[in-house]
Amino acid sequence: MDLRLFYSIILSILVMILIVCVVKSFRSNKPIGKSLGKLLIAFIIPITGNMIIIISGNKNVSIIGYFMYFIGMNYVMFNQVRFTNVYCKGIGNGRKYKPTIIYVFLLADTIQLLLNPVFGHAFDVEKIEVQGLPYYRLIPHFGQTVHRLVDYSVYMCVLIIFTIAAKKTAKIYRERYTVIIVAMLILGVWQAFYIFSRTPIDRSMIGYGVVGIMVFYLSLYYRPLRLLDRMLSNIASDLPDALYVFDPMGKCIWANDPGLKMVDVVENELEAVPKKIYERFGVNALSEDEWGENKVLGDGDDARYYSIQKHTVRYDRKYLAGSFVSIHDNTEEQRKVQQEIYNSTHDSLTGLFTKQYLYEQIQRRLNSDDDTDYYVVFVDVKNFKIVNDIFGTNFGDLAIQQIASWIRSRVTDNSIYGRLAGDTFGVFRPALGFNPDKLEEDLGNFIVSDGTVEYHLQMNLGVYEVADWNTEISVMFDRAHLALSSLKDNYKSHVAFYDTKLREKVVWEQKLTAELKDALASMQIKPYLQPIADGNGKVVGAEALVRWIHPDNGFMSPAMFVPLYEKNGMIVEIDKHMWRCACRILSEWKGRYDDLFISINISPKDFYFIDVVSELTGLVKEFDIEPVKLRLEITETVMMNASEKRMKILDELRKAGFIVEMDDFGSGYSSLNLLKDMPVDVLKIDMKFLSGSENDEKSNTIIRNIIRLSEELNIATLTEGVETDKQFSQLSDMGCKLFQGYYFAKPMPVDEFVKFADTHGMQ
Ligand code: C2E
Ligand code: CA
Ligand code: CA
C-alpha cells in the first residue's frame, strides 16, 4: 500500500478523533475543559499541515502545508503554555507567573516565518521522489533554526513548570503531573528524531495526535486509582478508631496504630489480633456475618464504653475480599450523655429527682409491682418565703438541702422521692413501717441551721394511701397535698391523711363554685327574714339571712356554702344580691310597713373587694328608701382589727344615714375597752357565745355589764339567739332593748314574715 496514503489516513483518523475530543472538552464542566479544547484545536492545525505536505505533489500546496505546520506549531506552543497555567494552578506559593515574554517570542517567530516568501531566510523546498511520486522536502535555513529554537525553548519551559509542579505538590498527587511529563518527553524525542534524521517524510505529527488524545484523557477522565488507594490507607491509619483488616481466610493483615495499642500487639504479631480482641471484648472478630455490639469494660466511674463493628468487603458484590473490624471508644460521649440524663432528671440544688422523673419512676414501680401498699406523701414547708426573706436566699438554699437530707434519712430503701417544686417534696413509699407518731415528734423539732443561725421550720406531710393504681400520679400528689388543708393553722400536728370525705368536699366546692352565677340569676338564692322584736315582743324589723333553694340539694343553710364563698371571695356576689333584695323588699313595704327595718350582713371580704359605701348609697338611691331602714351588720372581728381606713368607711356609712351594728359581739377577743372608740350604733350580742357555760350566774353578770356599759356609751344592745321566755325576761330586766331568736320565730320566707309582722305588730 502506498505509504503516504497510509499516513494520511492515520492522520485524518487522528484529526477526527481530536475533533471529537475538542467537542467533549468544551462541553466538560471541569475548569480545565476550555483550555484543553483550545490546545486540541491547535494540535489539529500542524497535523493538517503535515498531512498536506505528505499527500500533495504540488510545490505551492506543500509550501502552504509547511506554513500551517510551522505557524500551527507556534499556536500549539501558545496554547500549551496557557493549558499548563491552568493545569498547574495552585502550585507553589500562589504567585502567578505571567508568561507574556513567551507569547512575545512566539509572535516574533510567527512574523519572521511569514516573511519567508519575501526574504527566503527561513526555508525552501526541493522536489524529490518518494516511491515514484513527487514530494517537496524541506531545506531549512537560518529562520527555521530560530523557529526550532523558540519552540524547543517553550517546550523546555513547559516541561520545567510541570516538573516544578510535580515536585511541589503533595506526594499522592504527583502522578497527575508525571504522566504528562512522560508523555511530553516521548513526544520531544519522537520529534527530534524526525528533525535530525532527515527522513524524507516527517511522521512526528502522528505522535502529536496520539499525545493530544492522551492529554485529553489524562486531564478529563483519568482517575488515579493508586492515589485513591493511598489516600484511603492514609485516612485509615490516621483514624482514631482501632481498625483491623482481615483476609478472606480470617488472617489479620493490617491494623492501624490505635488498633495495635487497643489490644496491645506489635505489627509483626498480627496473627494474635483475633484472640486478643476476644480476650478483651468477648467478641469473635472472625465470625462470617456482619455485626455491631456495644461493650462496657470496668464499672463505676472507671467504666469505658466501646462500640465494635464488623464489616465484610466484597468485590463484584459476590466474592469475599476480606473483612474489617472497627472499635470506637465512645466513653467520653457516653459520659456526656449520662451527665445530661442525670442533669435532666435530678434537681441541681438537692440532687433529688425532679418532679417529672419522680412521677416516671413511681409509674414504673406501679407497673411492675402490684402487691405492696403504698403511700404518696406530699411534704410542704410552711411560710418558706419568710425564711428567704429574713435570712436570705443562701440560707434558704441551705434549708432546702437540709430538708432533702432529712427526707433521705427518713425514707426506707424502696422509697422513691424527689423535689416537686420550690419548697415542696414528694415521697412514694410502702405503707408498711410508716410511723406518723415518730414523724410528728421529729417534725416538732425540725431545725435548719448554718452553724450560726438556727430556725425552726414548720414542715407538714400530707399522706395519700394509693387505692386505685390507675390514678394518675399527679392526682395522687394532689390528694396528698389536699390532706394538708385539714391541718390548717394547727401548729401542733404535722401529718395529715387524705380521706374520701376531703375529696368529696373539694368536688362539692367545685360544683357550688360553678353553679353560683346561675343560682343568683334564677333566684335560687334569696333572703329569709328573721323577726327582731322590742321589749314588748313587737316586731320592729328583721335580719335578712341567705338561703339557697337548690334544685338538686334542696334547702341549703348558709353554713353549707357561705364559708366556701368567704374563702374564695365569691361571697361578694351573694352579698350584693342580698343587699339588693333587702332594698327591694323595703321599697315594696313603703306605705304599709314604714316602721320596719332590715339588717343585712356585710362580710369582711366585701370591704376587700368592693367599695361598700358607694354600693350601698347607690342602692338606697335606686330604690328610694331611707338609709336608716337598712341596718348593716359587720362582724366584731372585722371592727376590732380595723385599720384607720376601715374606720373611716364605717364613719362614712354612718354619715350617709345607715345604722351600723357590731355583729357577733362576744365571739372574738374584743375588749370592752375598745368599744368606746368604735363607730357603731348597735351592739349585737350572741347568746351562744355567752350562755351555755356551767356558770349561768357568771355569764349573766357579763351580759349585764356589757349592756350597762353600752348604755353609757350610747350604744343600743340587741341580743340574738334568744330561745326561752326566761332569757327574754332576764335580758329585758338587764336593760336590753332589742331581741332576736327562735323564741320569737325562725328565719322565714318574706311573705310569711309579713303575715307574722301583721299578727305581732300591735300589742
Ligand atoms: P349571723 O349573722 O350571726 O346570723 C344569725 C344566725 O343565728 C342565723 O343563722 C340564725 O338563723 C341563727 N339564729 C337565730 N336565732 C337563733 C336561736 O334562737 N338559736 C340559734 N341556735 N340560732 C339562731 P343562719 O341563718 O344559718 O346564718 C348563719 C350565718 O351565716 C350568719 O350568722 C352569717 O354570719 C352568715 N350569713 C347568713 N346570711 C348571710 C348573708 O347574706 N351574707 C353574709 N355575708 N353572711 C351571711
Ligand atoms: Ca348577722
Ligand atoms: Ca350574729
Side-chain angles (χ1 to χ4, degrees), residues 530 543-547 557-558 562 566 571 574-575 578 601-603 633 663-664 686 688 720-723 740-743 747:
Q530 185 176 31
E543 178 177 2
L545 292 157
V546 66
R547 297 291 181 265
S557 84
V562 165
E566 287 268 9
I571 191 70
I574 294 186
D575 280 351
M578 288 289 288
N601 289 284
I602 300 181
S603 153
E633 298 194 4
D663 199 2
D664 295 351
D686 196 325
K688 74 168 173 273
E720 62 177 324
V722 179
E723 290 182 346
Q740 177 185 352
Y742 294 170
Y743 173 66

Side-chain angles (χ1 to χ4, degrees), residues 325-336:
V325 167
S326 68
I327 303 179
H328 174 64
D329 179 342
N330 55 6
T331 306
E332 291 311 309
E333 296 138 59
Q334 279 292 329
R335 289 207 177 132
K336 228 177 258 166

Side-chain angles (χ1 to χ4, degrees), residues 501-527:
K501 261 187 240 139
L502 215 52
R503 182 180 137 73
E504 278 160 14
K505 189 177 152 226
V506 172
V507 172
W508 166 258
E509 288 183 351
Q510 278 168 347
K511 179 171 134 77
L512 289 195
T513 305
E515 286 173 349
L516 180 67
K517 210 172 150 210
D518 283 348
L520 289 171
S522 60
M523 283 304 281
Q524 288 171 31
I525 292 173
K526 57 182 166 200

Side-chain angles (χ1 to χ4, degrees), residues 236-272:
S237 307
D238 291 350
L239 228 48
D241 292 357
L243 221 57
Y244 310 91
V245 177
F246 301 91
D247 74 4
M249 313 302 291
K251 190 175 150 202
C252 182
I253 49 173
W254 183 82
N256 63 359
D257 283 348
L260 295 173
K261 259 185 226 139
M262 179 76 77
V263 292
D264 195 22
V265 292
V266 288
E267 208 153 358
N268 47 20
E269 281 174 4
L270 285 176
E271 314 83 66

